[in-house]
Amino acid sequence: MAKRLVLYVLGLFFLSLGVSFSIQADLGVSPVSSLPYALSLSTGMKIGMMTVAANILFIIVGSILTKSFIVKEVVGQLIISFLFGGFMDLTLLLVQIFPAPQTIGMKIIFLLISLFVVAVGLLGYFNAKLPLMPYDALTYAISARFKMVFSKAKITSDLLNVCVAGAVCLIFVHSIGAIGVGTVIAAYFIGKILGWMTKLYEVPLKEWLWAKPQEELSKIN
């Protein structure tokens, strides 16, 4: 359990760090934060609070897809949402220590860093097998409901989230806000990178995490 908790918290931290790099790149925020950011622009409230609001929406949609509502799981997801919001504030401060990228080359470098850091965070906290954030629980619900492999469901949920965020910005602030080419790139490639990392590192990670021989790992879902 200690290993799982460490992996879980580190995964959430790296996920928020990757999102912060995408914000700093200024080419379009990462899909996971596109809707909270759009809500923040529309209401003037902090992105942390809007992250919680967006996650409530994700819980509702996920419950509709799975046709279930488990109070214990929902409470856990909300607690995680507040934790992730805190990490977002922290990592934004950390990333802002670096000079803001001014050239297109540096912006692209920040964007590429964000893609891989987000994928590392997702790989870590998914494999900890502890409660998922509502956004990622929704991805699993899409995967199960439409019988998609997870990496494809991730791409689908990211693209849908970006489309909704874009619509919110257009309606309320009459622009697409921080949604840009970087957002679309992240929506497509984070799922691809996650699938690649899963093939390479999931089994060794499970061997370390669960201290089980390789032949028993297939029993761990």
Side-chain angles (χ1 to χ4, degrees), residues 14-197:
F14 275 97
L15 177 57
S16 64
L17 182 63
V19 172
S20 295
F21 267 105
S22 75
I23 292 173
Q24 193 76 341
D26 197 29
L27 291 174
V29 298
S30 179
V32 69
S33 61
S34 59
L35 183 56
Y37 193 87
L39 294 174
S40 178
L41 289 176
S42 302
T43 63
M45 299 181 70
K46 290 185 177 181
I47 192 171
M49 185 59 65
M50 291 299 96
T51 295
V52 176
N55 282 331
I56 292 174
L57 177 61
F58 298 147
I59 289 171
I60 293 171
V61 175
S63 298
I64 293 172
L65 289 177
T66 60
K67 299 179 181 179
S68 66
F69 186 89
I70 302 174
V71 174
K72 183 178 179 180
E73 291 184 359
V74 170
V75 171
Q77 288 175 351
L78 288 175
I79 292 172
I80 297 162
S81 299
F82 280 104
L83 176 62
F84 183 71
F87 278 153
M88 278 299 309
D89 291 337
L90 173 62
T91 54
L92 276 171
L93 290 175
L94 292 176
V95 171
Q96 287 170 0
I97 293 175
F98 301 101
Q102 301 296 327
T103 65
I104 187 63
M106 287 303 301
K107 290 176 183 287
I108 291 174
I109 289 174
F110 269 59
L111 175 61
L112 291 175
I113 291 173
S114 76
L115 299 181
F116 282 90
V117 174
V118 166
V120 168
L122 291 173
L123 180 67
Y125 107 95
F126 282 156
N127 279 283
K129 301 301 179 184
L130 291 172
L132 297 173
M133 289 195 301
Y135 183 77
D136 299 307
L138 176 59
T139 303
Y140 272 104
I142 291 173
S143 177
R145 178 66 176 80
F146 299 103
K147 297 179 172 59
M148 295 181 181
V149 298
F150 182 77
S151 59
K152 290 184 178 180
K154 173 66 178 169
I155 294 170
T156 301
S157 63
D158 281 350
L159 290 174
L160 288 172
N161 195 42
V162 167
C163 289
V164 173
V168 169
C169 284
L170 286 172
I171 292 170
F172 293 102
V173 297
H174 308 295
S175 75
I176 57 174
I179 296 171
V181 63
T183 308
V184 177
I185 289 173
Y188 182 78
F189 282 103
I190 286 176
K192 292 288 188 181
I193 296 170
L194 179 60
W196 169 70
M197 286 186 173

